[in-house]
Amino acid sequence: QVQLQESGPGLVKPSQTLSLTCTVSGGSISSGSYYWSWIRQPAGKGLEWIGRIYTSGSTNYNPSLKSRVTISVDTSKNQFSLKLSSVTAADTAVYYCAREQDWFDYWGQGTLVTVSS
Amino acid sequence: DIQMTQSPSSLSASVGDRVTITCQASQDISNYLNWYQQKPGKAPKLLIYDASNLETGVPSRFSGSGSGTDFTFTISSLQPEDIATYYCQQYDNLPRTFGQGTKVEIK
Protein backbone atom coordinates (compact mmCIF):
# COMPACT_ATOMS: atom_id res chain seq x y z
CA GLN A 1 0.00 0.00 0.00
CA VAL A 2 1.50 3.28 -1.14
CA GLN A 3 1.63 6.00 1.51
CA LEU A 4 2.64 9.64 1.19
CA GLN A 5 3.69 11.96 4.00
CA GLU A 6 4.30 15.70 3.76
CA SER A 7 6.87 17.39 5.97
CA GLY A 8 8.22 20.90 6.38
CA PRO A 9 7.81 24.13 8.34
CA GLY A 10 4.31 25.06 9.37
CA LEU A 11 5.09 28.77 9.49
CA VAL A 12 6.78 30.82 6.80
CA LYS A 13 7.41 34.56 6.79
CA PRO A 14 6.08 36.73 3.97
CA SER A 15 8.46 37.07 1.00
CA GLN A 16 10.34 33.92 2.01
CA THR A 17 10.31 30.50 0.35
CA LEU A 18 7.98 27.72 1.38
CA SER A 19 9.67 24.31 1.25
CA LEU A 20 7.91 20.98 1.65
CA THR A 21 8.93 17.38 1.10
CA CYS A 22 6.75 14.38 0.37
CA THR A 23 8.11 10.98 1.37
CA VAL A 24 6.67 8.00 -0.47
CA SER A 25 6.58 4.59 1.19
CA GLY A 26 5.19 1.21 0.18
CA GLY A 27 6.59 1.47 -3.31
CA SER A 28 9.33 3.02 -5.38
CA ILE A 29 8.73 6.54 -6.65
CA SER A 30 10.51 5.44 -9.83
CA SER A 31 8.28 2.48 -10.65
CA GLY A 32 5.25 2.72 -12.86
CA SER A 33 4.02 5.55 -15.03
CA TYR A 34 3.06 8.00 -12.34
CA TYR A 35 3.31 11.70 -11.82
CA TRP A 36 3.88 13.09 -8.34
CA SER A 37 1.84 16.18 -7.63
CA TRP A 38 1.31 19.01 -5.18
CA ILE A 39 -2.18 20.35 -4.49
CA ARG A 40 -3.23 22.98 -1.97
CA GLN A 41 -6.41 24.03 -0.23
CA PRO A 42 -6.92 27.32 1.63
CA ALA A 43 -9.10 27.00 4.71
CA GLY A 44 -12.74 26.57 3.75
CA LYS A 45 -11.97 26.70 0.03
CA GLY A 46 -11.48 24.37 -2.89
CA LEU A 47 -8.54 22.45 -4.30
CA GLU A 48 -5.83 24.03 -6.45
CA TRP A 49 -3.35 21.94 -8.42
CA ILE A 50 0.15 23.41 -8.06
CA GLY A 51 2.18 21.15 -10.31
CA ARG A 52 3.73 17.74 -10.82
CA ILE A 53 6.92 15.89 -11.60
CA TYR A 54 7.64 12.66 -13.43
CA THR A 55 10.45 10.46 -12.23
CA SER A 56 12.44 11.46 -15.30
CA GLY A 57 12.46 14.93 -13.79
CA SER A 58 10.09 16.54 -16.26
CA THR A 59 7.71 19.00 -14.64
CA ASN A 60 4.42 20.76 -15.27
CA TYR A 61 3.26 23.76 -13.29
CA ASN A 62 0.04 25.69 -12.89
CA PRO A 63 0.53 28.88 -14.94
CA SER A 64 -0.94 30.89 -12.06
CA LEU A 65 2.04 29.88 -9.88
CA LYS A 66 4.66 28.93 -12.44
CA SER A 67 6.98 31.87 -11.83
CA ARG A 68 7.29 30.96 -8.15
CA VAL A 69 7.19 27.13 -8.12
CA THR A 70 9.89 24.50 -8.33
CA ILE A 71 9.19 20.80 -7.92
CA SER A 72 12.08 18.35 -7.71
CA VAL A 73 12.53 14.65 -7.08
CA ASP A 74 15.12 12.61 -5.17
CA THR A 75 14.64 9.02 -6.24
CA SER A 76 17.38 7.80 -3.87
CA LYS A 77 15.30 8.99 -0.92
CA ASN A 78 11.93 8.19 -2.51
CA GLN A 79 10.95 11.82 -2.05
CA PHE A 80 9.77 14.78 -4.07
CA SER A 81 9.74 18.38 -2.98
CA LEU A 82 7.98 21.70 -3.47
CA LYS A 83 9.47 25.16 -3.28
CA LEU A 84 7.24 28.21 -3.53
CA SER A 85 9.03 31.54 -3.45
CA SER A 86 7.96 35.05 -2.46
CA VAL A 87 5.04 33.80 -0.40
CA THR A 88 2.23 36.01 0.84
CA ALA A 89 -0.74 35.43 3.14
CA ALA A 90 -2.64 34.17 0.09
CA ASP A 91 -0.36 31.12 0.07
CA THR A 92 -1.61 30.02 3.50
CA ALA A 93 -3.21 26.63 2.92
CA VAL A 94 -3.12 22.93 3.57
CA TYR A 95 -0.63 21.46 1.13
CA TYR A 96 -1.13 17.91 -0.12
CA CYS A 97 1.15 15.66 -2.09
CA ALA A 98 -0.49 13.04 -4.27
CA ARG A 99 0.22 10.37 -6.85
CA GLU A 100 -1.35 10.99 -10.23
CA GLN A 101 -2.22 8.55 -12.97
CA ASP A 102 -4.73 10.91 -14.59
CA TRP A 103 -6.57 10.68 -11.31
CA PHE A 104 -5.13 11.29 -7.86
CA ASP A 105 -5.33 7.89 -6.23
CA TYR A 106 -3.03 8.29 -3.24
CA TRP A 107 -2.78 11.42 -1.11
CA GLY A 108 -0.76 12.52 1.89
CA GLN A 109 -2.62 13.63 4.99
CA GLY A 110 -1.83 17.26 4.23
CA THR A 111 0.21 19.84 6.10
CA LEU A 112 -0.91 23.31 7.07
CA VAL A 113 1.45 26.09 6.07
CA THR A 114 0.74 29.53 7.46
CA VAL A 115 2.38 32.62 6.00
CA SER A 116 2.74 35.21 8.71
CA SER A 117 5.38 37.43 10.25
CA ASP B 1 -7.73 26.69 -18.05
CA ILE B 2 -10.79 24.44 -18.13
CA GLN B 3 -13.37 25.71 -15.64
CA MET B 4 -15.36 23.12 -13.72
CA THR B 5 -18.70 24.24 -12.32
CA GLN B 6 -20.50 22.11 -9.77
CA SER B 7 -24.07 22.44 -8.60
CA PRO B 8 -25.45 22.75 -6.10
CA SER B 9 -22.81 24.22 -3.79
CA SER B 10 -24.50 22.50 -0.89
CA LEU B 11 -27.44 20.23 -0.26
CA SER B 12 -29.29 18.69 2.64
CA ALA B 13 -30.95 15.30 2.30
CA SER B 14 -32.34 12.54 4.47
CA VAL B 15 -30.74 9.18 5.08
CA GLY B 16 -31.80 6.87 2.27
CA ASP B 17 -32.39 9.68 -0.22
CA ARG B 18 -30.96 9.69 -3.72
CA VAL B 19 -28.47 12.54 -4.09
CA THR B 20 -27.32 13.98 -7.41
CA ILE B 21 -24.51 16.45 -8.06
CA THR B 22 -23.72 17.89 -11.46
CA CYS B 23 -20.42 19.10 -12.87
CA GLN B 24 -20.10 21.11 -16.06
CA ALA B 25 -16.84 21.65 -17.90
CA SER B 26 -16.16 24.84 -19.86
CA GLN B 27 -15.15 22.74 -22.89
CA ASP B 28 -15.42 19.18 -24.11
CA ILE B 29 -13.34 16.90 -21.86
CA SER B 30 -14.60 13.56 -23.22
CA ASN B 31 -14.81 11.27 -20.18
CA TYR B 32 -11.68 12.65 -18.49
CA LEU B 33 -13.48 13.40 -15.25
CA ASN B 34 -12.96 12.16 -11.69
CA TRP B 35 -14.91 12.50 -8.45
CA TYR B 36 -13.52 12.79 -4.91
CA GLN B 37 -14.96 12.77 -1.43
CA GLN B 38 -13.41 14.94 1.27
CA LYS B 39 -14.34 14.67 4.91
CA PRO B 40 -13.41 17.47 7.34
CA GLY B 41 -9.74 17.52 8.20
CA LYS B 42 -8.95 14.72 5.76
CA ALA B 43 -7.41 14.43 2.33
CA PRO B 44 -9.70 13.89 -0.64
CA LYS B 45 -10.46 10.29 -1.52
CA LEU B 46 -10.91 9.08 -5.09
CA LEU B 47 -14.37 7.61 -5.69
CA ILE B 48 -14.93 7.62 -9.45
CA TYR B 49 -12.43 7.85 -12.32
CA ASP B 50 -12.98 8.17 -16.08
CA ALA B 51 -16.44 9.60 -15.33
CA SER B 52 -18.06 6.30 -14.44
CA ASN B 53 -15.55 3.80 -13.08
CA LEU B 54 -15.82 2.97 -9.40
CA GLU B 55 -12.50 2.94 -7.56
CA THR B 56 -11.71 -0.36 -5.84
CA GLY B 57 -13.28 -0.61 -2.41
CA VAL B 58 -15.77 2.21 -2.92
CA PRO B 59 -19.40 1.27 -2.12
CA SER B 60 -21.64 0.64 -5.10
CA ARG B 61 -24.14 3.30 -3.97
CA PHE B 62 -21.76 5.81 -5.56
CA SER B 63 -21.90 6.21 -9.32
CA GLY B 64 -20.96 8.64 -12.06
CA SER B 65 -22.02 9.30 -15.62
CA GLY B 66 -21.64 11.75 -18.45
CA SER B 67 -19.27 12.79 -21.19
CA GLY B 68 -18.34 15.90 -23.10
CA THR B 69 -19.20 18.84 -20.87
CA ASP B 70 -21.92 17.51 -18.56
CA PHE B 71 -21.40 15.00 -15.78
CA THR B 72 -23.44 13.59 -12.91
CA PHE B 73 -22.44 12.05 -9.59
CA THR B 74 -25.06 10.06 -7.68
CA ILE B 75 -25.37 8.56 -4.24
CA SER B 76 -28.25 6.10 -4.60
CA SER B 77 -29.06 5.91 -0.91
CA LEU B 78 -27.44 8.51 1.33
CA GLN B 79 -25.77 7.15 4.44
CA PRO B 80 -24.62 9.11 7.52
CA GLU B 81 -20.99 8.38 6.66
CA ASP B 82 -21.42 10.09 3.28
CA ILE B 83 -21.45 13.51 4.92
CA ALA B 84 -18.60 15.25 3.13
CA THR B 85 -17.71 17.66 0.36
CA TYR B 86 -17.53 16.20 -3.13
CA TYR B 87 -15.31 17.52 -5.92
CA CYS B 88 -15.10 16.84 -9.63
CA GLN B 89 -11.73 17.14 -11.41
CA GLN B 90 -10.79 17.14 -15.09
CA TYR B 91 -7.67 15.65 -16.57
CA ASP B 92 -8.19 16.50 -20.23
CA ASN B 93 -5.77 19.39 -20.00
CA LEU B 94 -3.17 21.02 -17.82
CA PRO B 95 -3.51 22.61 -15.39
CA ARG B 96 -5.63 20.03 -13.64
CA THR B 97 -8.70 21.81 -12.29
CA PHE B 98 -11.36 20.98 -9.73
CA GLY B 99 -14.94 22.04 -9.25
CA GLN B 100 -15.65 24.31 -6.31
CA GLY B 101 -17.15 21.45 -4.30
CA THR B 102 -20.58 20.35 -3.13
CA LYS B 103 -21.15 20.01 0.59
CA VAL B 104 -23.58 17.22 1.46
CA GLU B 105 -25.35 17.33 4.82
CA ILE B 106 -27.98 15.22 6.54
CA LYS B 107 -31.41 16.77 6.95
Side-chain angles (χ1 to χ4, degrees):
Chain A
Q1 177 80 346
V2 173
Q3 293 185 312
L4 293 85
Q5 177 70 58
E6 305 90 350
S7 59
L11 181 64
V12 181
K13 289 182 167 50
S15 80
Q16 293 191 342
T17 296
L18 177 161
S19 296
L20 295 174
T21 295
C22 182
T23 301
V24 179
S25 59
S28 170
I29 200 171
S30 301
S31 66
S33 300
Y34 303 115
Y35 286 90
W36 302 91
S37 293
W38 288 97
I39 296 161
R40 69 180 183 178
Q41 184 173 37
K45 296 189 177 181
L47 299 158
E48 179 182 32
W49 180 79
I50 299 169
R52 68 184 187 179
I53 190 164
Y54 196 64
T55 50
S56 64
S58 68
T59 55
N60 303 105
Y61 299 132
N62 193 322
S64 67
L65 299 167
K66 186 174 184 177
S67 63
R68 299 194 291 131
V69 173
T70 303
I71 297 175
S72 59
V73 65
D74 186 337
T75 54
S76 67
K77 295 182 179 179
N78 231 31
Q79 295 176 335
F80 63 107
S81 298
L82 168 70
K83 291 188 185 298
L84 181 66
S85 64
S86 305
V87 297
T88 70
D91 295 309
T92 294
V94 174
Y95 285 76
Y96 296 101
C97 57
R99 189 181 83 168
E100 180 188 349
Q101 49 166 337
D102 292 331
W103 42 87
F104 301 103
D105 55 355
Y106 289 98
W107 296 67
Q109 64 186 25
T111 188
L112 174 63
V113 178
T114 301
V115 178
S116 175
S117 55
Chain B
D1 298 6
I2 297 176
Q3 305 303 315
M4 307 301 294
T5 304
Q6 284 182 237
S7 62
S9 297
S10 65
L11 66 88
S12 181
S14 300
V15 172
D17 281 356
R18 183 180 184 88
V19 168
T20 299
I21 298 168
T22 64
C23 178
Q24 185 170 59
S26 60
Q27 65 187 64
D28 188 332
I29 60 169
S30 185
N31 66 328
Y32 301 147
L33 190 283
N34 308 313
W35 290 95
Y36 301 86
Q37 174 193 66
Q38 186 178 34
K39 296 184 177 181
K42 300 293 187 181
K45 174 187 175 183
L46 176 68
L47 299 181
I48 303 283
Y49 62 94
D50 280 349
S52 61
N53 292 300
L54 197 66
E55 173 71 338
T56 302
V58 173
S60 59
R61 64 180 180 275
F62 297 101
S63 65
S65 64
S67 67
T69 60
D70 295 303
F71 301 86
T72 300
F73 172 81
T74 300
I75 307 173
S76 61
S77 176
L78 185 68
Q79 300 301 304
E81 60 266 32
D82 301 335
I83 300 314
T85 300
Y86 294 85
Y87 293 93
C88 60
Q89 174 248 325
Q90 66 79 22
Y91 65 93
D92 181 62
N93 261 350
L94 294 175
R96 303 304 193 216
T97 49
F98 295 83
Q100 81 277 16
T102 296
K103 187 174 184 179
V104 175
E105 298 175 320
I106 295 285
K107 191 182 295 182

